[in-house]
Amino acid sequence: MANYFNTLPLRLQLAELAKCRFMHLDEFTEGVDALKGKKLVIIGCGAQGLNQGLNLRDSGLDVSYTLRAAAIDEKRQSWKNATENGFTVGTYEELLPTADVVLNLTPDKQHTNVVNTIMPMMKHGACLSYSHGFNIVEEGMQIRDDITVIMVAPKCPGSEVRAEYVRGFGVPTLIAVHEDNDPNGEGLALAKAYAVGTGGHKAGVLMSSFVAEVKSDLMGEQTILCGMLQTGSLLCFDKMIEEGIDAGYASKLIQYGWETVTEALKYGGVTNMMDRLSNPAKIRAFDLAEEMKDIMGPLYQKHQDDIMTGAFSSGMMDDWANDDAKLLGWRADTAETAFEKTEAGDVEISEQEYFDNGILMVAMVKAGVELAFETMTDAGIIADSAYYESLHETPLIANTIARKKLYEMNATISDTAEYGCYLYNHACVPLLGDFMKDIKTDVIGKGLEFADTGVDNARLIEVNEAIRSHPVEVIGAELRGYMADMKRII
Amino acid sequence: MSDLDRWCLDALSVDFDGRFQLDDISWTIQPGEHWLIAGANGSGKSALAAVLAGAGDRLSGTCSGLPDRVALVSYEQQAELIEAERRKDDADILDVISEGTPVAEIIDSVSQDDELAETLIDALGLRPLLDRAFRKLSTGESRKVMLIRAFTSNPELLVLDEPFDGLDHDSLWWLQAHLRDLAKTVPMVIVLNRFDECPDFITDVAYVDDGRLLHKVKRDDERAFAEVRQLLHLQTTDLELPPGDPAAQLPSLNDADPLVRLTGAAIRYTDNTVFEDLDWTIEANEHWQLSGPNGSGKTGLLSLITGDHPQCYVNDIQVFGFQRGTGESIWQIKQYIGYVSTALQWEYRVSIGLRNVIISGFYDSIGLYGKSTDAQKAIADQWLDLLGMTGRFDEPFNSLSFGEQRLLLIARAMVKHPPLLILDEPCLGLDDINRQLVLALIERICTTSNTTVLYVNHRTQDQIRGINNHLALQ
Ligand SMILES: NC(=O)c1ccc[n+]([C@@H]2O[C@H](COP(=O)([O-])OP(=O)(O)OC[C@H]3O[C@@H](n4cnc5c(N)ncnc54)[C@H](OP(=O)(O)O)[C@@H]3O)[C@@H](O)[C@H]2O)c1
Ligand SMILES: [Mg+2]
């Protein structure tokens, strides 16, 4: 199989990358009708599989699970997930031949194998759906002509997909139809109904393409979303220890700090996050971010380039073929880091203190969000999509670190994201080595000294202007506005 | 301060002619304290005040150190004096029409300080009435006489039951100023129906309910003070439950169907069975209490009904006319249910304002994602009024105390007047005052709405009037 994206002429590559439209709520008035009475069979019952299935069933749809035989025989976690939640579980042979829609929610690494196994069992004219386009785009998987192929990709970890649904809301979701496989022209209707079934339509749906989803999703998760947070956690922690800050305090400041500072992104983007700092601290964070953007820029470009050419995916597939040697090695290394091994101390840290004593963390988030966004849009990805894959998802990933540190983050994201995260971290930690040498506790651990709190008016105006006029802020304001609009329409 | 200086009621129970009883009152008044006694009508607050002046028959417990000269002003004691005057007339065998005892004599008979009496008579404008028969005075006038008697009797303790009731505006001002002055030298216990009349010098509040002294709160403990005030409001307000939103009518239910019918229900995990073979039918307007030890599956059972438990799809459950697992969505079920639990409160970690929290009940959402209507805003504000939280619509929910949050969530659950209100241990984690606040609110709901209440609690003392059906899990 060849990399599908690379088989496309440049003209189509660009067209596919540029596919991205924010859908309005009134495009979803048919609700789940297109899936009503159809038999939905989910393959795999992990992070996405279980949570999407719970939502779809609660939306009145007929959902059951098929697992590989070993998982059923050995009553593995996936089997427990499905049965304890009252779902019918069956073998491929039992469930696939009668399925109208097959939701492939196995790890990306398994897709080729899984899809090759199940395709012959699928009935004529059925639909196959994915939550990530890797298999189609990077591996060039060919699907039988009579089968409709769609994607419904929640821009969130599976736990959030469920949590938001239960609250009566949803998570932003990207949908796409694989043009080569839409024999009956029903792909879009099915994808829309599926997005409604998971609650995604309430939070915003982007109509996109398999290509745009893959190339932006990989970039976001490797860099700002997971990679930057991991690198930042390790560097900030080690620096604080080196400077004599109490280890329990340092551990807590980082573990909960990402969640706290990025929460501000949800409400008013980078501007609002920066506004939570005092004026002198804001200027410091701005300068630090500029410096880091200079240093990290080439790394972000390399990640995006490798994603575009397929070098990233072939590298990861080599690791798959090598029994995940790199992934497992990096995972073990992460578990051994001082930050992971130091429990958060039993100290009170107020919400504002996370900002005041975490100026460098704020700067890292700003640098990472802006760089990822700039690099994606430079590569032809539409701003809306780049926004969701960078700024929007950052707080959702930060929440996972608050729960159980990097372990939790890497356990909830997909294996592909985890691999990309380590890959980035592996390069970024040494890259920021010199920069970190000059860092002191005034920007991480203690906050600015009273002596350096003077602010030059002209400089402040300049900095504010630069923050506010960044393109991620412009599109962010527009998209958050749409979401607020949607809320008004309901 | 020595033990001798303070006045102590210890486990005191007092009977009032078999009509009313105060139970197990323990109360210490320290030098320098001025107390407010608060409580709903009939709670026993006047009785408690009167006990200080020696009223009632002691059944058990002790009373120590109370001073000899306790001056009491109350409606009952005023009525008694008037009644005594009347009886004097009736007893008069002379064939002369008695004029009754004149005001001057009524005052003189107890006054220890004639100079002061003269001053007060002028201050309260009683001079023109000095020769008038006491029993012929208006209520307000005779109340003033009672006050003068109390003030001039050289009291060691002043007990004033509703002293501001029935006074004209000028006298009210005068009395407030006078009490402020007097408070510097004489300890006071004042009974008031309304907290907003509470004088500044009051240092402590005693809250009475059902013949018991339930709470003693320091005035400067702002939170506790506010809670007691809110409790009094909830128990005494004549505000009614706000109506539902006429524009958001629920699809109507078939009267013949029960609200809920579980047949042979079970919750099973791989390694244990929480319960099985459970049949349960809840008909409209049958309030239920559900009890059982921890781990008996109370919450699991409820969540089979609400649809929050995934095994609702493998049970035979009929709710609001839907057979579960036949293509209905969970929101079609939830629209008929109001739900409150500690778990919900943990989940409800949002910083939206109080009004929006209440409105979110119309949408069964945590947080508010829809646009609310003006009618819904007005209804939410009425709920805030009922809760004694008028005007606080913009306060962020997560800044409220735990107990206030609970009240808000009950209002949120009730705002749409759901056919079924499920309260899963609504008092869990609450202190006494807040527990009573919640119970007072629930009782109002049970007695004044068409909502069927399903109440889960294992504390037997937290029973609610109006709930007559009981299911106990083992
Ligand atoms: N996690 C996220 O944040 C996220 C977000 C958006 C999209 N996605 C996408 O969602 C998909 C699923 O990811 P995930 O994170 O949910 O995966 P996951 O948690 O690792 O779960 C995968 C499930 O697939 C089963 N499985 C594994 N290997 C299999 C095989 N060879 N054959 C059949 N079943 C197999 C596993 O069960 P057994 O091993 O017991 O068989 C498990 O239940 C991926 O395409 C991913 O990119 C994930
Ligand atoms: Mg992703």
Side-chain angles (χ1 to χ4, degrees), chain A residues 32-40 56 61-62 101 189-190 193-194:
Chain A
V32 295
D33 288 356
L35 288 172
K36 264 246 128 109
K38 298 217 156 125
K39 193 171 156 196
L40 279 61
L56 292 166
L61 299 175
D62 174 2
V101 184
L190 294 173
Y194 180 169

Side-chain angles (χ1 to χ4, degrees), chain A residues 364-385:
Chain A
M364 285 173 165
V365 171
K366 177 178 187 290
V369 164
E370 292 181 353
L371 265 184
F373 180 87
E374 291 164 20
T375 314
M376 280 190 252
T377 49
D378 285 351
I381 292 163
I382 295 293
D384 305 45
S385 198

Side-chain angles (χ1 to χ4, degrees), chain B residues 139-174:
Chain B
T139 323
E141 288 161 349
S142 55
R143 169 52 62 98
K144 291 178 188 170
V145 173
M146 302 306 289
L147 287 167
I148 294 177
R149 275 164 59 104
F151 293 150
T152 56
S153 63
N154 190 20
E156 293 166 279
L157 168 64
L158 254 181
V159 181
L160 307 174
D161 188 347
E162 293 292 351
F164 307 128
D165 235 25
L167 288 188
D168 52 75
H169 188 261
D170 288 349
S171 311
L172 185 74
W173 272 97
W174 176 85

Side-chain angles (χ1 to χ4, degrees), chain A residues 4-5 8 11-20 177-179 208-213:
Chain A
Y4 170 75
F5 181 69
L8 296 176
R11 170 178 46 84
L12 285 183
Q13 285 185 334
L14 294 177
E16 288 290 301
L17 279 175
K19 255 190 211 161
C20 176
V177 178
H178 187 35
E179 301 295 348
S208 183
S209 68
F210 271 67
V211 164
E213 190 273 339

Side-chain angles (χ1 to χ4, degrees), chain A residues 85-106:
Chain A
N85 282 294
F87 287 104
T88 301
V89 180
T91 60
Y92 294 167
E93 291 77 8
E94 284 165 343
L95 295 183
L96 289 171
T98 52
D100 297 300
V101 184
V102 176
L103 290 70
N104 174 17
L105 293 172
T106 59

Side-chain angles (χ1 to χ4, degrees), chain A residues 36 54 57-60 79-80 84-86 164-169 267 487-488 490, chain B residues 269-270 307 310-311 313-314 327-331 347 350-351 364-366 369-371:
Chain A
K36 264 246 128 109
L54 288 167
R57 180 175 64 178
D58 276 346
S59 295
W79 179 85
K80 283 190 195 151
E84 292 200 345
N85 282 294
E164 286 295 331
Y165 181 89
V166 171
R167 306 174 115 223
F169 200 46
Y267 295 91
K487 291 173 200 174
R488 250 172 268 136
I490 296 172
Chain B
Y269 298 104
T270 332
Q311 291 184 23
Y313 291 98
V314 290
E328 75 295 342
S329 93
I330 196 168
W331 308 110
E347 286 296 308
V350 292
S351 55
D364 308 307
S365 59
I366 291 183
Y369 309 105
K371 180 185 164 49

Side-chain angles (χ1 to χ4, degrees), chain A residues 198-423:
Chain A
T198 58
H201 67 305
K202 293 183 181 172
V205 173
L206 286 183
M207 166 77 202
S208 183
S209 68
F210 271 67
V211 164
E213 190 273 339
V214 170
K215 302 297 185 186
S216 59
D217 186 69
L218 292 175
M219 179 62 188
E221 66 199 18
Q222 292 174 14
T223 57
I224 171 60
L225 300 178
C226 311
M228 189 72 241
L229 295 186
Q230 169 141 354
T231 300
S233 299
L234 301 180
L235 290 178
C236 291
F237 185 79
D238 290 347
K239 171 57 68 174
M240 282 192 271
I241 298 309
E242 185 188 314
E243 295 287 324
I245 303 264
D246 173 68
Y249 180 87
S251 173
K252 182 162 182 181
L253 186 71
I254 294 169
Q255 182 173 348
Y256 299 96
W258 296 121
E259 177 180 48
T260 309
V261 301
T262 60
E263 174 79 8
L265 292 177
K266 286 191 201 167
Y267 295 91
V270 174
T271 305
N272 182 51
M273 177 180 71
M274 295 292 280
D275 282 348
R276 293 297 309 266
L277 294 169
S278 69
N279 285 330
K282 185 198 280 185
I283 294 175
R284 276 305 283 282
F286 180 86
D287 292 339
L288 289 168
E290 290 298 293
E291 209 181 320
M292 281 188 283
K293 282 175 76 174
D294 279 344
I295 301 169
M296 299 189 302
L299 179 62
Y300 278 65
Q301 281 152 8
K302 176 171 169 34
H303 273 262
Q304 185 70 81
D305 293 347
D306 287 352
I307 289 166
M308 286 297 179
T309 60
F312 164 74
S313 55
S314 63
M316 182 171 70
M317 288 189 267
D318 287 346
D319 195 48
W320 291 353
N322 193 22
D323 294 329
D324 296 316
K326 280 187 181 165
L327 177 76
L328 297 176
W330 283 328
R331 189 185 283 172
D333 291 348
T334 303
E336 286 307 310
T337 58
F339 170 64
E340 281 299 275
K341 293 172 86 173
T342 308
E343 279 218 30
D346 185 15
V347 278
E348 219 14 75
I349 303 183
S350 74
E351 198 219 3
Q352 187 57 41
E353 188 175 333
Y354 282 109
F355 287 90
D356 296 341
N357 292 3
I359 297 171
L360 179 61
M361 294 168 73
V362 173
M364 285 173 165
V365 171
K366 177 178 187 290
V369 164
E370 292 181 353
L371 265 184
F373 180 87
E374 291 164 20
T375 314
M376 280 190 252
T377 49
D378 285 351
I381 292 163
I382 295 293
D384 305 45
S385 198
Y387 170 82
Y388 280 110
E389 299 293 354
S390 58
L391 191 149
H392 171 83
E393 211 176 331
T394 304
L396 302 170
I397 300 292
N399 290 347
T400 64
I401 298 183
R403 288 206 291 272
K404 272 196 202 150
K405 302 201 158 189
L406 299 176
Y407 166 81
E408 178 78 4
M409 174 180 83
N410 286 311
T412 39
I413 60 180
S414 67
D415 288 358
T416 312
E418 186 182 5
Y419 177 88
C421 164
Y422 296 144
L423 186 68

